[in-house]
Structures are given as C-alpha cells and as structure tokens.
Amino acid sequence: IAKTGHEIYEVGTKLAKKVLVTVPLGVLKNNIIEFSPKLPQAKQEAIDYIGFGALDKCVFYWDTNQTSWWPEGKEFLTLATDQDETNGDWTTIFNDKELGNGGHFVLSALTAGSFANKFELQSDDKIVGQLLKNLRTMLGPDVPPPVKYVITRWGHDPLAFGSYSWDAVGGEEATNKKRRTLAAKVGKQLFWAGEATDEDWYGTTVGAYKSGIRAAQEIL
C-alpha cells in the first residue's frame, strides 16, 4: 500500500511465511485491514478497548531578524485562559530553540483530545491566527506572523487515524492486560508490534522501538 497526498492505493501483492503488523492502533480500530481468517475475539477486544486519540502540533518558524520579542531562557510556555472550553486551544508551547534545535527560532504548540478534534476541522489560517493571538497575549504585540509553519492533523491521516494510545477507563492494570493481548502472536505467522503493545513506554518512539525488538526476537 502506498500514499500520495490523500490518495491510498495498492501497489502489489507480497507473499511471506510470517507477517509483522506495526500499523497504528487507529488503523486497526477503523478496520482498514481485512484479516482472513478473522482475528481471535480477544485480540479484537484488545484493539477496541485500548484508548487512541490525536495530539497535534502547530510549529512556527521565524527568521533571526524578527525575534526581538523572543522568550530567551524559557523552555516551556503555557497560557491560562479564563474559560475551560479554551484552555486547550494551542496554549501549551515548547521553545525548541532553548531545547537544543541548533539555534533556530521555532515554537511548537500542542493540542490534544477534543481540542485536537475541533482544530483538525479548521483551516490553516484560523489555526495560525489562534496561536499568534495566544503568543501576543503572552509575549506582547510585537510577535510577527511566522515565516513558515507546519500543522499536523493526525486524526484525519488515513494511515494513522490518531497519534498514539492511552490507558482506557478502567486504569493502567486493565489496559496493560489488553496491551499484552494485542502484542501476542497469532499462530506461528502473525506477529505484532507498535507503541500500543508496550506496557511501559506506550505513546512514545521508545515503546515502538522496544516492541519491534521484542517482535523480531519472537520471529527469529
């Protein structure tokens, strides 16, 4: 399967003795892959149970001659709003320059959950305007529009349908049981990896990497 823009198409059929499934949990939840025979009931229940959602970024970049207002020495910024319904509107911001990005003037704002679902339906102009308004509220009116920006919409990516997994209602112990079930191989041919299968580091690249090592050892 390949992707060009928003188009997805099949590019060929591959035959293999063993298969390792590493797609995001959102792909499994949306039944994009048809398994034949069907997955065991416990496996499907684990897919349905484990939480999965979107965390999106809006990244701003400026040239060096535009940054007299820059928050030097501040690694992390947050805007406390007056209303609960706006406290996730791009109000959590990381100063990537302070965090060691090679000296580039970059700020990365985050939004998640229901806030991410809301903003994924909005235009780039509206999102950029909201974040710029927040920055001017915190840092003053001299903050100019960015030279470049990048906005993610993981919830609407047809190869992901979200960012990463989280513990469902019922707590860590109940979800970890489902993670173990999701990680378990099916027969001698179908193996599983991905951040959602790792009990300790789910939601991270570390978890994805660790699960890949585990699955490779199972296959070998």
Side-chain angles (χ1 to χ4, degrees):
I1 295 176
K3 177 185 177 186
T4 302
H6 294 293
E7 299 296 324
I8 302 174
Y9 56 94
E10 183 178 345
V11 295
T13 300
K14 304 294 183 182
L15 299 178
K17 294 181 180 179
K18 298 179 180 180
V19 174
L20 174 59
V21 180
T22 63
V23 297
L25 182 61
V27 172
L28 298 173
K29 284 180 173 290
N30 281 273
N31 298 310
I32 302 301
I33 299 173
E34 181 180 352
F35 292 92
S36 181
K38 292 184 177 180
L39 295 175
Q41 181 177 348
K43 180 77 74 175
Q44 188 60 55
E45 288 177 353
I47 291 170
D48 296 337
Y49 183 90
I50 301 170
F52 193 76
L55 185 150
D56 286 315
K57 286 186 178 182
C58 180
V59 182
F60 278 8
Y61 166 81
W62 293 267
D63 289 331
T64 55
N65 60 355
Q66 298 179 295
T67 53
S68 60
W69 51 272
W70 191 260
E72 294 289 349
K74 305 288 193 305
E75 296 182 354
F76 176 80
L77 306 171
T78 187
L79 175 64
T81 66
D82 294 332
Q83 316 244 333
D84 288 344
E85 56 265 28
T86 61
N87 64 15
D89 290 359
W90 307 108
T91 54
T92 300
I93 302 165
F94 289 92
N95 184 345
D96 296 332
K97 179 175 178 288
E98 294 293 329
L99 294 170
N101 69 358
H104 300 289
F105 289 88
V106 175
L107 296 177
S108 297
L110 308 180
T111 189
S114 60
F115 296 99
N117 296 337
K118 174 181 68 174
F119 280 107
E120 287 200 5
L121 299 176
Q122 295 185 4
S123 67
D124 283 9
D125 286 346
K126 192 163 186 177
I127 292 172
V128 169
Q130 179 63 59
L131 178 51
L132 190 57
K133 177 183 176 182
N134 290 351
L135 290 173
R136 287 171 175 170
T137 298
M138 289 187 285
L139 304 173
D142 292 336
V143 180
V147 173
K148 299 177 183 178
Y149 69 86
V150 176
I151 299 170
T152 67
R153 291 181 174 85
W154 287 111
H156 285 76
D157 187 315
L159 297 183
F161 294 99
S163 304
Y164 45 72
S165 65
W166 39 267
D167 286 345
V169 175
E172 181 180 9
E173 183 176 350
T175 303
N176 279 346
K177 182 178 179 180
K178 298 298 184 181
R179 293 186 191 279
R180 291 192 292 271
T181 300
L182 180 60
K185 64 182 180 180
V186 177
K188 297 181 180 181
Q189 296 175 303
L190 194 58
F191 298 81
W192 300 77
E195 58 81 18
T197 69
D198 192 89
E199 296 178 47
D200 299 319
W201 290 93
Y202 61 87
T204 70
T205 304
V206 173
Y209 174 80
K210 284 181 56 187
S211 73
I213 298 297
R214 169 191 51 75
Q217 292 171 341
E218 291 174 352
I219 292 172
L220 297 175

